[in-house]
Amino acid sequence: MKYNELSKIFVNDFPKFRLNLIEHEALYKEVLNHVFFGDLNDFLIELLRKDIETGLLIRLFEFYERMELKGDTLVKEVLSCTILERLGDEKEILEIAYRYMGKETRKASDNIERAWGRL
């Protein structure tokens, strides 16, 4: 998975976010993956807080696992710095997210939490 294809791969897997990407490209005149996925974090955190759309959460975290396993260095950076680091800002959200994380995503999350002194 290459950084310059990341957002397009994501919206192909999750068509409900296609409009978000179109609006993002219109605003920034390009795709800024950290910004795009950062904007989606609010939605992710709200899903985790409610913990009701488990099918969507499972699929999202499967995508994050693919980012960790098959992503180039920049894709892994988006996962770590933009997605996982923010999840750790709220302990209760992180605890819910742990239930959905794959093995490699959990390792990456734990490394981030250790680095921040939160684990």
Side-chain angles (χ1 to χ4, degrees):
M1 188 180 295
K2 303 267 188 253
Y3 179 81
N4 62 345
E5 302 167 347
L6 179 60
S7 295
K8 290 186 186 348
I9 293 169
F10 180 79
V11 297
N12 282 336
D13 285 6
F14 299 93
K16 76 182 287 168
F17 297 109
R18 188 171 309 281
L19 182 58
N20 298 76
L21 182 59
I22 291 168
E23 290 172 350
H24 173 89
E25 287 179 301
L27 180 62
Y28 295 104
K29 309 299 184 227
E30 64 180 319
V31 176
L32 305 171
N33 282 314
H34 284 280
V35 175
F36 176 70
F37 283 93
D39 289 345
L40 293 179
N41 263 345
D42 291 333
F43 177 78
L44 172 63
I45 289 169
E46 199 53 39
L47 275 181
L48 289 165
R49 192 177 315 284
K50 293 177 183 174
D51 198 19
I52 54 173
E53 290 191 54
T54 55
L56 179 56
L57 285 167
I58 289 167
R59 290 182 49 238
L60 284 166
F61 279 93
E62 286 172 347
F63 186 85
Y64 300 151
E65 185 78 357
R66 279 185 17 226
M67 288 173 69
E68 180 63 29
L69 290 170
K70 299 181 181 193
D72 62 21
T73 303
L74 293 175
V75 167
K76 291 178 184 185
E77 187 178 285
V78 170
L79 177 66
S80 294
C81 298
T82 302
I83 299 169
L84 297 178
E85 193 171 301
R86 174 112 182 265
L87 293 178
D89 288 347
E90 294 182 54
K91 188 79 169 156
E92 68 181 36
I93 295 300
L94 184 60
E95 290 296 325
I96 297 166
Y98 281 156
R99 298 193 314 241
Y100 297 98
M101 285 183 191
K103 182 180 174 184
E104 297 305 314
T105 310
R106 175 63 188 258
K107 280 186 203 174
S109 177
D110 287 347
N111 287 339
I112 292 163
E113 294 308 303
R114 266 196 245 21
W116 279 102
R118 301 188 291 206
L119 184 65

